[in-house]
Amino acid sequence: MSEPFRWPGVVKLIHWSVVVLFFSNQFLFGGGSQYHTYAGWGILLLVCLRLLYGMTFAKTPARLRDICFSIKGVEHHLQELKEGNYQPHGHNPLGAMAVWFMWTMLLLCAFTGWLQDTDFGLEQGVYEWHSLLVNSLFYFIGIHLLAIVITSLFSRKNLVKSML
C-alpha cells in the first residue's frame, strides 16, 4: 500500500502561518494597529515566499506550474469523484482555481491595507475596498472548508490529514 499524500513542510508552514495571521488580524488585532499592520505585511511576505518557492525549489505537486485548472480538468475531476476513483496528489482543478483566487485576494488585501496609509487611499475610499476583500475572503474560506469536507467524503480520503 502506498504512503498517503502529504504536502511538503514548507507549504504547510506557510499555509498555517497565513491562516493564523489572517484570523489574528480579524479577531485579535484592531484595524490600523501596529500589530494589524505587521500581520498584513507578514501575510504579504508569506504569499510571496510561497510563490517564489513554487517557482524554484518546489517539487510536484507544489510547483506553480502544477497548480492549474481547466474546464476539461474540472469535468474529469467530477467524474472521478462520481466514480469513486479520485486519488489526491496535490490540488484538483477546482482546488487549483481556489488557490490562485485566495493568493490573489490576499495580495489585494495587503495592497489595499497598505494603500489606506497613503493620502491617495483615504481619498479614494480604499477602506471600503479593503473591508470588502477581507469579508469576501472569509466567505471564500468557508467555501474552501466545505469543499474539502465534501471532496473528502466523496473520495473517502482524509484531505485535511495531508495538510497536518
Side-chain angles (χ1 to χ4, degrees), residues 71-116:
I71 299 299
K72 286 278 188 206
V74 171
E75 290 171 353
H76 178 71
H77 170 64
L78 293 175
Q79 188 64 33
E80 283 180 331
L81 283 177
K82 184 178 173 186
E83 295 170 357
N85 295 331
Y86 178 60
Q87 296 298 318
H89 187 71
H91 289 104
N92 64 58
L94 292 171
M97 193 180 328
V99 167
W100 286 106
F101 179 78
M102 282 194 254
W103 285 340
T104 302
M105 292 290 284
L106 287 167
L107 293 172
L108 287 171
C109 286
F111 176 68
T112 56
W114 167 79
L115 203 56
Q116 289 180 71

Side-chain angles (χ1 to χ4, degrees), residues 18-94:
V18 168
V19 168
V20 167
L21 289 174
F22 185 78
F23 279 90
S24 294
N25 246 1
Q26 184 68 16
F27 300 112
L28 298 179
F29 309 142
S33 74
Q34 188 175 13
Y35 295 116
H36 186 89
T37 302
Y38 289 154
W41 282 110
I43 290 169
L44 176 65
L45 176 66
L46 288 165
V47 172
C48 290
L49 281 174
R50 176 59 181 94
L51 293 170
L52 184 63
Y53 174 72
M55 289 186 291
T56 56
F57 301 110
K59 303 215 180 331
T60 298
R63 295 179 301 191
L64 293 187
R65 68 176 175 227
D66 294 327
I67 305 172
C68 54
F69 54 91
S70 67
I71 299 299
K72 286 278 188 206
V74 171
E75 290 171 353
H76 178 71
H77 170 64
L78 293 175
Q79 188 64 33
E80 283 180 331
L81 283 177
K82 184 178 173 186
E83 295 170 357
N85 295 331
Y86 178 60
Q87 296 298 318
H89 187 71
H91 289 104
N92 64 58
L94 292 171

